[in-house]
Amino acid sequence: MQRRIFTELAMGAIFMAMAGVASAQSYPSKAVKVVIPFPPGGTLDTVGRQLAQKLSEQMGQPFIIENRPGGNGVIGGDVVAKAPADGYTLLFNASTFTTAPMTMKSVPYSVDRDFTPVALVAKAPLSVAVNKRLPITDIKSLITYAKEHPGKMTFAVGSIGSAGHLSTELLKRAGKLDYMIVPYKGTAPAFQDLIGGQIDGFIDPILGSLQYHKSGMLRVVAVTSAERAASLPDVPTVSETIPGYEFYSWYGLWGPAKLPAEITKKLNVEVNRALAGDMKEKLKEQGILTTAGTAEDFIKFQKLDMERSQKIVSEGKIRVE
């Protein structure tokens, strides 16, 4: 009797494994929804749409972007957390996804428990941009100006807990500066006020400021990467003035919890394939660095980044009011 039960259990496990392989082989057999939990037009949306286009071409089914803004990214994240774990609803988000819950009283999901990391897609160095009418041309003169106007200089943040926000907090502490941080609902209004002079500075991925800098509407005085950005070769890094300063926004792809390992692996392989093609050069021109690696690599990266972010959030007392 026991032998029979064991045999039936073993056969069941084999059939389940075979079903999983078959599911992965046929995946995707219909359109895949990719949720971006912020409005169209930002760096996140731009990278997500490029990736979705490449995945559509490679996998033979449409990967359709659905923007679900609101709640600092929580509304869109919750949609994916509650979706079936079949690979047909995915989340494309920035590092804000992992930091937002650290800054909010409550979030209806756990980043660790309710999602399956699929792939780290790209890292985006940030630009330190200032209003062009200010006497600031580099980080040294920014520090001088801020110290000459204690408590009066203002820096925008596109969303609470974003990479730009954390980077702004780091610069504040590293330079021993006293400036005000002003939250905005998105990067577009922040750039409008920066150009108009209502705000003095804004740290955000290079892609957002690139066109404004080149047209002379604002001034990018530094980038936060370890090396100078290919898209802004004449702009120094922050670390050239403050040694060791380095910060990036990053973008990843997640599925709901318990996404089948075979589908996770298939998606990861296709993402890496997309990043090895012309998308790599296109993003590089926009100041974004593609990454490559397994889902396990992404899990390790996410864990380390969350530990670093939690330290900055705690020390800066960053909270969504």
Side-chain angles (χ1 to χ4, degrees), residues 45-315:
D45 188 69
T46 299
V47 178
R49 289 180 185 277
Q50 290 184 39
L51 179 63
Q53 181 180 343
K54 295 299 292 185
L55 292 178
S56 298
E57 294 170 0
Q58 292 171 192
M59 301 185 78
Q61 292 289 347
F63 279 67
I64 302 170
I65 296 295
E66 182 178 300
N67 294 93
R68 294 291 294 267
N72 204 22
V74 171
I75 291 176
D78 195 39
V79 168
V80 178
K82 290 181 169 62
D86 56 8
Y88 290 98
T89 303
L90 303 173
L91 176 69
F92 186 76
N93 207 348
S95 44
T96 308
F97 170 58
T98 62
T99 55
M102 302 174 189
T103 67
M104 304 175 76
K105 289 183 179 179
S106 63
V107 174
Y109 53 75
S110 164
V111 172
D112 291 323
R113 293 192 306 270
D114 296 327
F115 296 88
T116 301
V118 173
L120 178 64
V121 175
K123 293 167 64 177
L126 311 177
S127 61
V128 182
V130 299
N131 181 272
K132 66 178 183 179
R133 289 183 285 275
L134 294 176
I136 298 173
T137 56
D138 53 25
I139 291 297
K140 186 176 180 180
S141 56
L142 186 156
I143 291 172
T144 299
Y145 182 84
K147 289 187 174 180
E148 289 175 350
H149 302 82
K152 294 183 179 180
M153 191 175 185
T154 53
F155 266 83
V157 295
S159 60
I160 300 295
S162 64
H165 189 175
L166 271 58
S167 184
T168 305
E169 286 284 351
L170 273 183
L171 180 63
K172 188 176 186 179
R173 290 206 292 276
K176 298 179 181 179
L177 306 177
D178 177 18
Y179 52 64
M180 294 175 58
I181 294 178
V182 184
Y184 278 76
K185 293 182 178 179
T187 59
F191 275 119
Q192 289 172 5
D193 279 3
L194 180 64
I195 292 166
Q198 288 80 22
I199 288 290
D200 298 323
F202 186 32
I203 302 180
D204 203 58
I206 290 172
L207 179 59
S209 63
L210 193 58
Q211 59 178 327
Y212 299 123
H213 173 76
K214 289 185 174 180
S215 65
M217 298 174 73
L218 55 74
R219 185 181 302 124
V220 173
V221 298
V223 294
T224 65
S225 46
E227 299 177 351
R228 294 193 181 195
S231 54
L232 291 168
D234 297 327
V235 175
T237 66
V238 176
S239 63
E240 289 176 43
T241 302
I242 305 175
Y245 186 102
E246 183 179 357
F247 211 90
Y248 302 86
S249 178
W250 53 266
Y251 310 102
L253 187 68
W254 292 262
K258 299 180 181 178
L259 186 68
E262 296 83 5
I263 291 178
T264 300
K265 184 175 181 179
K266 188 169 187 178
L267 281 167
N268 177 272
V269 168
E270 292 298 333
V271 168
N272 283 305
R273 180 181 163 200
L275 299 178
D278 58 351
M279 185 177 172
K280 180 176 183 177
E281 289 305 314
K282 185 181 288 187
L283 289 177
K284 187 176 180 180
E285 292 171 1
Q286 299 169 337
I288 299 170
L289 310 173
T290 54
T291 56
T294 64
E296 291 73 22
D297 292 333
F298 186 24
I299 291 170
K300 292 175 184 176
F301 173 88
Q302 178 177 293
K303 182 177 184 295
L304 290 172
D305 190 79
M306 288 177 71
E307 290 172 356
R308 182 192 186 198
S309 297
Q310 183 63 69
K311 186 173 186 293
I312 298 170
V313 168
S314 298
E315 292 178 354

